[in-house]
Each structure stands twice: as C-alpha cells, then as structure tokens.
Amino acid sequence: MSVRKDKDWGNWKWQLQNKIRNKESLEAYIVLSNDEISAIDQADSLFELGITPYYASLMDPRNTECPIRLQAIPKLIELQTNERDQQDPLAEEKYMPVKGVTHRYPDRALWYLSHNCAVYCRFCTRKRKVSKPLGTPNRNEWDSALDYFRKTEAIREIILSGGDPLSLSEDHLEWILSELKRIPHINQIRIHSRHPVTLPMRITDTLCEIFNKYFPIYMVTHFNHPKECTTESEQAILRLVKQGAVSVMNQSVLLKGINDSPEILQNLNYKLISMGVKPYYLHQCDETFGVSHFRVPIQKGKEIYQNLRGKQSGITVPLYVADLTGGGGKVPLLPEYEVETKEFTNIYRNYKGDYYEISNGI
Ligand SMILES: *Cc1c(COP(=O)(O)O)cnc(C)c1O
Ligand code: SF4
C-alpha cells in the first residue's frame, strides 16, 4: 500500500485540511483490524480520531502493533475505565487562577492556547478538553491571562501549551510572544508542541524567523519512538535550531507496547541527540480515563531507567518522572542507588551493580 502524495503534501495547512477523521480515509493508508474498526466507531464521542496524512504515512499498513498506529488509532481496550481513572488527574482545572492558565508551581505557569492538535494521541492526559471545540480559549481569555501574568511577579516562566500552541496562526503567536517579552519579570518562554513529530511541515521559515526575533525560545517536543525520527522531523528540528535559534528538548511518555524497553529508548535518545534535541523527561503515564492499557508498572519503569543511566551517555538520558494524581506536581522516579547510610559513610550501588563506599561529608 503506498499513498500517492498530493502536491501540497509539504504544506502544513493542507495536512490539517486533509486530517484523517474516519475509517474510510484511514483505509487509504492501512488495513484496519476488526478491533480498530469497532474502537473507532465507539471511541469517537469520547475522544476524536484525528491523524495527519503525514503521520498516517508512517504507519505499518498491516501490523496493528505498529508504534505509530498504537499512538493514534484507538483499540477497544481504550473504552475500559478503571477505578482510578479520572477526567483531570493532575487537577489542572483546580489550580486555574484565570481561565486557560494552570499555575501550580510558584515560578511558572502553563497557558493553554488551543484545544487542537495535529494528531490526537490516544494516551493524552487532556482528553477532557483536547479535540473539543467547546471552551477553546478566545481573545478575551488571552487578555485576562496576560493581565494575570503581568500582576503576578513570582512568575518567571510561561509555558505555552494546549492542545498544540503551534495550531495558532503566526500573527497570533507573534502577538503572544511580544506581549510576554514585555513583561519584565518573565525570564523565559517555553513552548510545548508535538508538531515537530506529527506535523513537521508546520515548522516553516516564517515561524522560525519569529522565534529568532524573540530569542531565547525553549521548545519541548514529544517524540516517543525512533520511528518518528524521520527526515521531515529532522529537517524541522534543524530549522528550529538554526533559523529559529530555539533550544529543543523532548519529553516522552513511557508507553506499554510502544517504547517500554531499554533498547527502544536508547535508540530514541541517541537519535534525538543526533538531531539536536536534548531528552528532558520520561513520563509515567497519568491516571487519565482510557489510558490504563498504556501504563507501565513503575517498578519496570525504574528497571528500564537503570539500563539507561550510566550505560548511556548522560546527555541522552531523560529524567523519569510521575506527575502526581491530585495535582501534587512532578516527582522523579529513581531506582535505589543508596544502599546504606552509616555514621560517616554511605554505600552506593553503581550502574553495574557494584558497591562503593564514600564519605557522607559529616
Ligand atoms: C509539568 C508542568 C510544568 C513544567 O514543569 P517543569 O518541571 O518545569 O518542566 C509547569 N506547570 C504545570 C502545571 C505542569 O504540569
Ligand atoms: S499532542 Fe499533546 S495535547 Fe495533543 S493529543 Fe497529543 S498528548 Fe494530547
């Protein structure tokens, strides 16, 4: 099966206008299984199907366990809710001083600028609002958010998030960046976007020129599997780094059946570093409704992490974290390295499993 690529394939607007939203259009790319067909029929009302033709073209046409398919196409198991599953596990709506802003930590705030994404990831934490046009932030809400940032001097960083903040037009993005840059206590601007992975053509020269003007911009993108590190994505990152002077980092979610092995994560992290992207976080999957089939036991996550730290170059290793249900914030999930603390010394286990005693400095 090979799809003829439209002459506008490389245009991000074409990709969004031709977003795959039903079984019929998906079948131009892959052979759907019975499970996928029923799941698409039943899951749509809970969380929309939405896939760019670009992302669909990375799918294995026959293997239903393809890591790209698993991220974007529902399975029936997604309809099962487990006792702990929640609408808003991170209590993002609770820590909301003004509509569209979650201010949980003292020095930084998350600003949801859009409910749209190029691809709707089945494991999304914000399924409660992402993909739903209702409640999409409007211009008045942007103004109240900006007012809140202006008067809250403890805020040093604004994180543009969503949905995907790069779904906005260049004019809107530029306006937002320029307003933020004018606030004296804002030290840095960060953008969380999955577009370099799901819609790399969105990273246009014009967009990069805007980023360059508002240097420094930090971007955290979201690659989960080496298969996503395509030439298109690689070129998008190159544009961000070279033309936009953007510092690009990556957060992955640890996902069962997709990337829950040291080998896959090692490949991914090396690949990212070779593209100019610094692995930042590896997230434990949140307790959102309909994602429990993706969750990897924390014990297994720690074992995987132990296979990265020390064995792999330190710059390739992200920090494994859980975002605490209830809104407690992120905490590192670390394997036990400290074996024993004595009066004047501590004993540690290194990455090979050998023991070393060092002075504890007392
Ligand atoms: C994850 C998150 C941040 C960013 O946290 P960092 O550890 O700085 O990356 C900020 N605000 C909220 C509400 C978050 O969930
Ligand atoms: S890109 Fe992010 S916000 Fe959008 S569906 Fe995927 S995980 Fe959710």
Side-chain angles (χ1 to χ4, degrees):
M1 233 176 208
S2 76
V3 186
R4 252 211 0 259
K5 293 190 177 167
D6 190 276
K7 64 173 174 30
D8 289 324
W9 183 265
N11 178 330
W12 67 278
K13 289 184 178 154
W14 181 90
Q15 287 282 336
L16 290 183
Q17 279 153 8
N18 289 278
K19 199 151 120 174
I20 295 161
R21 297 175 191 278
N22 55 43
K23 290 174 294 197
E24 294 68 33
S25 3
L26 196 48
E27 276 169 339
Y29 295 83
I30 58 173
V31 182
L32 286 168
S33 69
N34 289 338
D35 184 281
E36 287 169 324
I37 292 173
S38 320
I40 292 172
D41 288 338
Q42 294 175 54
D44 208 42
S45 57
L46 288 172
F47 188 57
E48 237 184 78
L49 180 83
I51 306 170
T52 50
Y54 162 78
Y55 200 66
S57 76
L58 308 183
M59 292 176 178
D60 187 310
R62 293 205 158 69
N63 180 5
T64 54
E65 298 307 304
C66 158
I68 308 290
R69 280 171 81 139
L70 291 175
Q71 290 187 64
I73 307 176
K75 288 217 170 172
L76 280 173
I77 196 169
E78 181 177 316
L79 301 162
Q80 288 177 12
T81 37
N82 148 334
E83 209 183 296
R84 292 192 51 90
D85 289 352
Q86 303 189 21
Q87 285 285 323
D88 180 16
L90 310 181
E92 291 177 324
E93 309 293 330
K94 189 172 135 201
Y95 290 87
M96 202 168 261
V98 287
K99 204 161 165 231
V101 175
T102 298
H103 188 187
R104 183 193 325 285
Y105 300 106
D107 79 337
R108 55 207 187 279
L110 263 189
W111 189 10
Y112 312 107
L113 287 169
S114 157
H115 285 179
N116 290 323
C117 299
V119 170
Y120 294 122
C121 316
R122 305 319 299 179
F123 50 83
C124 181
T125 288
R126 299 200 183 115
K127 279 183 177 185
R128 67 182 183 280
K129 60 181 179 188
V130 162
S131 94
K132 310 205 170 39
L134 209 73
T136 293
N138 61 37
R139 188 65 182 255
N140 282 344
E141 286 163 18
W142 291 358
D143 283 329
S144 359
L146 283 165
D147 282 340
Y148 177 76
F149 302 150
R150 287 188 197 106
K151 67 165 204 251
T152 315
E153 287 184 17
I155 299 181
R156 311 296 312 280
E157 179 180 49
I158 302 300
I159 303 169
L160 309 185
S161 186
D164 208 301
L166 299 187
S167 316
L168 300 187
S169 70
E170 266 114 28
D171 287 348
H172 282 155
L173 283 167
E174 171 142 35
W175 181 78
I176 284 164
L177 294 175
S178 70
E179 289 299 318
L180 290 175
K181 271 281 174 180
R182 264 191 226 134
I183 306 175
H185 53 271
I186 302 290
N187 189 68
Q188 73 251 14
I189 300 171
R190 196 196 309 183
I191 301 177
H192 280 189
S193 169
R194 214 181 174 204
H195 280 185
V197 185
T198 52
L199 183 65
M201 40 298 270
R202 173 67 187 102
I203 312 301
T204 58
D205 294 340
T206 327
L207 185 66
C208 292
E209 278 159 31
I210 296 172
F211 290 153
N212 196 303
K213 238 166 98 181
Y214 296 93
F215 176 86
I217 300 286
Y218 292 82
M219 185 178 289
V220 178
T221 185
H222 184 169
F223 289 89
N224 285 326
H225 192 276
K227 214 177 159 181
E228 295 171 329
C229 302
T230 61
T231 313
E232 288 91 336
S233 283
E234 209 164 337
Q235 285 167 353
I237 301 292
L238 201 64
R239 289 194 290 279
L240 281 170
V241 172
K242 288 203 162 174
Q243 286 163 242
V246 176
S247 300
V248 189
M249 294 173 285
N250 185 68
Q251 52 185 355
S252 303
V253 184
L254 185 60
L255 296 165
K256 194 194 274 177
I258 295 178
N259 61 11
D260 57 337
S261 86
E263 294 72 29
I264 294 173
L265 288 173
Q266 275 161 12
N267 285 341
L268 173 66
N269 293 329
Y270 265 105
K271 191 78 204 163
L272 289 170
I273 283 290
S274 78
M275 290 161 63
V277 179
K278 165 77 186 92
Y280 175 49
Y281 278 148
L282 174 65
H283 287 268
Q284 175 68 7
C285 202
D286 295 329
E287 295 187 292
T288 310
F289 65 95
V291 311
S292 46
H293 57 295
F294 285 122
R295 198 166 305 119
V296 176
I298 290 179
Q299 193 48 41
K300 181 168 180 201
K302 286 184 179 178
E303 283 161 22
I304 291 173
Y305 183 84
Q306 206 156 10
N307 270 290
L308 307 180
R309 167 66 54 203
K311 293 193 180 153
Q312 251 198 289
S313 157
I315 64 169
T316 66
V317 182
L319 186 66
Y320 179 35
V321 293
D323 218 335
L324 300 173
T325 303
K330 294 185 242 305
V331 291
L333 299 174
L334 293 174
E336 219 33 80
Y337 290 106
E338 199 170 82
V339 180
E340 194 182 343
T341 54
K342 301 203 236 179
E343 193 176 358
F344 298 110
T345 58
N346 291 354
I347 297 177
Y348 293 93
R349 187 191 288 116
N350 78 350
Y351 73 99
K352 289 190 207 160
D354 301 332
Y355 295 88
Y356 289 84
E357 185 164 10
I358 65 163
S359 156
N360 59 24
I362 290 172

